[in-house]
Amino acid sequence: MAAKHVRMGEAALSKVDKINSEVLTFTYGAIVTQLIKDYEDIEEVNKQLENMGYNIGLRLIDELIAKSGIGRCADFRETAEVISKIGFKMFLGISPAIVNWNGEYSEFSLLIDENPLTEFVELPEQYRGLHFSNLICGVIRGAMETLQMKIECKFVKDQLRGDDTTELRVILKEIMADEVPVGYGE
Amino acid sequence: MTSTASKKEVAESSFEFLHIELVHYLERRHKQVATEHKDDNDLISLETPYTKLELMGFRVGQRLIERMCRDHPRFNDNLEIIKYICKEVWNELFKKQIDNLRTNHRGIFVLLDNRFRWLLHTSPNSANTEPKEYANYVAFACGILRGVLANLGIESTVKADVTTLPACTFTISIQS
């Protein structure tokens, strides 16, 4: 199963136009700086980053499906593969390792050791509470919500904050039932 | 790390998503702050989304050029710098060159991009008859240009005009 997703991710990556990752890195850095200026409160900055990511996720999922041709996932384990090997691969050129499944296969972690968003970044002491890449959490949540999965996503470890790895925890909360869109009911 | 090290690449759409959301965020934030302060009698100075975008672009441009022309020999004059921007910088950002460059030889340079990538996915707002406001979608690019020039020792102002989508003209005025 894994090999298939690796192939699909690489095929999708080869299909999309690419730019030098530094443009993205610098722009993202400028956004975080701007948010800190706008809100001053680090918790609020984390929230805003997540929210921006959520808005992006809602739109980005269309491109992922269109460019990769991926169909419906059989289970959440396959979903994890798709997030790492296709989603991350296609948009950021990386595929984080999937580790630490829980017993019910409803929670896993992504180990992000090479993150284009955090290149050249060092967090000053007073910003230790900042989840610098929190936008990614929002992207995953937004993208998954479009596919009717309620997800909770958070950084539990972060190299920028002195941890040995960067670990993103993804928790499946609920699979929402198919609902008739507003206006289509009898 | 040498300059021959393979460059890391990301999907261009990742950047486009981020850029569009950035514009939306700043517009939301601006509205929110303006509403919060609408009863204040003293006029607080509000930075517009345009100003913020331009300034953010400026910083990005500065960093970008610093890394781009690390090994580039010294530029002889302004025209050479502008040409470098039209070719190399534009290529780095948009995978293409500027389509047309004009100058009055007195410090004004007009750069035309016939298919400006950050406008490719915008569409005219058909719902209302007023021309859609594109300024915020080109502000970041103006800032990048100004930042690039500043780091090469040229003080300038840059403004962009969108006439027919997705073409965009950037006018660089160099301060003498």
Side-chain angles (χ1 to χ4, degrees):
Chain A
M1 189 165 83
K4 171 184 130 195
H5 294 117
V6 170
R7 268 201 315 278
M8 288 179 92
E10 267 156 18
L13 180 67
S14 70
K15 250 189 254 176
V16 298
D17 291 319
K18 282 171 279 294
I19 51 164
N20 178 357
S21 68
E22 285 173 9
V23 182
L24 184 78
T25 308
F26 294 145
T27 305
Y28 188 72
I31 292 176
V32 177
T33 312
Q34 184 64 47
L35 286 173
I36 292 174
K37 231 162 84 187
D38 283 354
Y39 290 97
E40 285 162 15
D41 173 28
I42 293 301
E43 266 316 304
E44 190 58 30
V45 174
N46 290 337
K47 225 169 86 188
Q48 290 295 331
L49 280 172
E50 208 273 349
N51 185 42
M52 289 176 81
Y54 175 79
N55 294 334
I56 292 175
L58 297 178
R59 278 174 265 137
L60 168 143
I61 188 69
D62 285 335
E63 171 138 342
L64 187 147
I65 291 170
K67 290 268 160 62
S68 70
I70 184 81
R72 193 175 268 271
C73 290
D75 54 23
F76 197 53
R77 269 183 284 182
E78 190 180 351
T79 307
E81 293 287 333
V82 173
I83 292 175
S84 159
K85 308 227 163 46
I86 302 180
F88 272 88
K89 187 76 189 174
M90 171 176 162
F91 290 105
L92 294 177
I94 53 174
S95 46
I98 302 163
V99 294
N100 299 343
W101 278 104
N102 69 341
E104 294 85 50
Y105 286 104
S106 64
E107 288 182 27
F108 64 93
S109 291
L110 294 167
L111 293 185
I112 309 177
D113 55 352
E114 233 188 309
N115 181 356
L117 297 185
T118 58
E119 220 171 321
F120 319 116
V121 175
E122 248 177 76
L123 280 191
E125 201 58 48
Q126 72 264 37
Y127 297 137
R128 273 296 144 98
L130 179 67
H131 288 293
F132 190 88
S133 308
N134 223 25
L135 186 113
I136 293 179
C137 296
V139 172
I140 297 178
R141 183 168 70 89
M144 302 299 283
E145 199 170 293
T146 319
L147 305 176
Q148 296 181 310
M149 281 183 255
K150 261 209 166 51
I151 294 282
E152 192 187 304
C153 194
K154 58 181 185 232
F155 280 97
V156 290
K157 279 186 184 174
D158 193 336
Q159 278 166 334
L160 286 182
R161 304 163 86 172
D163 298 321
D164 51 343
T165 53
T166 298
E167 180 177 345
L168 185 62
R169 192 81 183 145
V170 183
I171 303 162
L172 175 64
K173 294 301 225 190
E174 184 193 341
I175 296 182
M176 293 175 275
D178 277 328
E179 274 170 31
V180 184
V182 181
Y184 283 83
E186 295 130 74
Chain B
M1 202 169 75
T2 62
S3 54
T4 50
S6 69
K7 272 188 190 157
K8 281 187 213 149
E9 290 191 314
V10 293
E12 184 182 38
S13 54
S14 305
F15 177 83
E16 281 174 10
F17 283 126
L18 193 64
H19 179 246
I20 291 172
E21 180 55 28
L22 169 63
V23 176
H24 290 176
Y25 160 75
L26 290 173
E27 287 173 349
R28 280 200 304 271
R29 174 74 185 160
H30 186 72
K31 240 181 237 160
Q32 184 199 345
V33 175
T35 323
E36 278 168 15
H37 292 273
K38 74 175 191 309
D39 296 329
D40 293 6
N41 282 328
D42 53 333
L43 276 173
I44 53 149
S45 67
L46 269 184
E47 271 185 327
T48 60
Y50 184 92
T51 319
K52 285 185 178 175
L53 281 160
E54 206 270 348
L55 203 61
M56 292 169 81
F58 179 80
R59 294 202 202 96
V60 171
Q62 280 187 311
R63 289 188 191 145
L64 198 70
I65 194 67
E66 207 164 274
R67 294 186 53 84
M68 266 190 78
C69 64
R70 226 173 357 182
D71 306 318
H72 194 280
R74 206 186 141 82
F75 294 100
N76 290 317
D77 55 21
N78 289 352
L79 184 62
E80 207 178 292
I81 290 179
I82 299 282
K83 280 183 177 163
Y84 181 81
I85 289 174
C86 292
K87 281 190 190 150
E88 307 300 330
V89 176
W90 224 250
N91 204 34
E92 184 86 354
L93 288 166
F94 307 111
K95 287 274 164 84
K96 75 185 285 276
Q97 298 184 2
I98 280 287
D99 295 301
N100 186 288
L101 166 66
R102 280 180 295 145
T103 175
N104 68 351
H105 298 288
R106 277 183 305 185
I108 305 230
F109 296 88
V110 181
L111 284 58
L112 169 70
D113 186 337
N114 283 325
R115 263 170 72 82
F116 184 53
R117 295 205 66 132
W118 298 350
L119 290 171
L120 283 184
H121 303 301
T122 53
S123 52
N125 204 349
S126 53
N128 64 42
T129 46
E130 281 179 35
K132 192 174 169 175
E133 193 51 70
Y134 293 109
N136 288 344
Y137 291 90
V138 291
F140 194 73
C142 289
I144 289 183
L145 279 172
R146 195 168 65 84
V148 165
L149 285 162
N151 245 29
L152 297 174
I154 300 178
E155 233 184 284
S156 65
T157 53
V158 181
K159 70 181 203 30
D161 290 297
V162 182
T163 39
T164 36
L165 275 179
C168 186
T169 339
F170 296 89
T171 308
I172 299 173
S173 319
I174 293 179
Q175 257 115 72
S176 44

